[in-house]
Amino acid sequence: FHAYVKPTEKPTLTPFCKKLTGLKQEWTDAALPLPDTLKFFDDWLNKTGFSQKNWVFVTDGPWDLRDFLNKECNRKNLDKPSYFNKWVNIRWLFAKYYKCNRGGVNSMLKRLGLTFQGREHSGIDDARNIATIAIRMIQDGCTLAINDGLRS
């Protein structure tokens, strides 16, 4: 699944944002706003059958789901499906499993003898690299289990 979200309050991307992420203004202009994107994702889960399976997000830290999505949904009074409330924090799990200091995606990839593929801070490229780390950890015998989430 991949979708951009249309910013509604500050729809014009800053030069910093475009440089950091590689986003193009026309991509976000054509995107759906957050409530519609959340519904689009939920519909995709149902259509593909994922909604009936045991699955969880794998993240590099808590920030995207805890700080960005959760706070934005609360601020806009949006309903957010509960599957966004728990995740595998691969940064924590990686450090524990390989008995090393916590580091970001690049650090984890380097420790595994791999290099970042794509553009850093591009959501889809970050996700693919996190998936690469997760797959390698599973191949190395690690069990991925929920280890982070929103506190009640």
Side-chain angles (χ1 to χ4, degrees), residues 33-46:
L34 182 57
D36 298 326
T37 304
L38 291 172
K39 171 125 181 40
F40 183 45
F41 180 67
D42 200 58
D43 290 347
W44 177 84
L45 286 174
N46 288 317

Side-chain angles (χ1 to χ4, degrees), residues 13-39:
L13 300 175
T14 65
F16 172 80
C17 178
K18 290 190 269 190
K19 184 177 180 183
L20 178 70
T21 64
L23 283 171
K24 295 184 186 284
Q25 187 67 51
E26 56 267 24
W27 297 347
T28 58
D29 287 346
L32 296 171
L34 182 57
D36 298 326
T37 304
L38 291 172
K39 171 125 181 40

Side-chain angles (χ1 to χ4, degrees), residues 2-131:
H2 179 262
Y4 295 110
V5 177
K6 178 185 216 113
T8 53
E9 292 167 28
K10 294 182 180 179
T12 302
L13 300 175
T14 65
F16 172 80
C17 178
K18 290 190 269 190
K19 184 177 180 183
L20 178 70
T21 64
L23 283 171
K24 295 184 186 284
Q25 187 67 51
E26 56 267 24
W27 297 347
T28 58
D29 287 346
L32 296 171
L34 182 57
D36 298 326
T37 304
L38 291 172
K39 171 125 181 40
F40 183 45
F41 180 67
D42 200 58
D43 290 347
W44 177 84
L45 286 174
N46 288 317
K47 185 177 105 182
T48 58
F50 270 102
S51 62
Q52 305 302 315
K53 297 183 180 179
N54 188 13
W55 65 274
V56 67
F57 290 103
V58 178
T59 68
D60 174 35
W63 306 284
D64 290 332
L65 294 177
R66 182 193 69 197
D67 296 343
F68 302 130
L69 181 62
N70 187 59
K71 289 178 182 178
E72 187 69 1
C73 287
N74 287 342
R75 192 175 70 76
K76 292 183 174 179
N77 201 28
L78 298 176
D79 288 328
K80 173 179 55 74
S82 61
Y83 51 71
F84 285 111
N85 295 340
K86 59 187 183 229
W87 54 89
V88 175
N89 183 332
I90 203 157
R91 186 181 290 224
W92 290 356
L93 185 61
F94 188 96
K96 182 178 178 185
Y97 186 75
Y98 293 109
K99 297 175 180 43
C100 60
N101 292 329
R102 277 189 231 160
V105 174
N106 259 322
S107 173
M108 290 183 275
L109 287 166
K110 283 179 186 168
R111 180 134 185 356
L112 296 173
L114 304 169
T115 57
F116 193 96
Q117 300 298 306
R119 182 187 186 109
E120 290 182 59
H121 304 294
S122 161
I124 191 68
D125 291 339
D126 286 348
R128 288 178 176 140
N129 283 280
I130 290 167

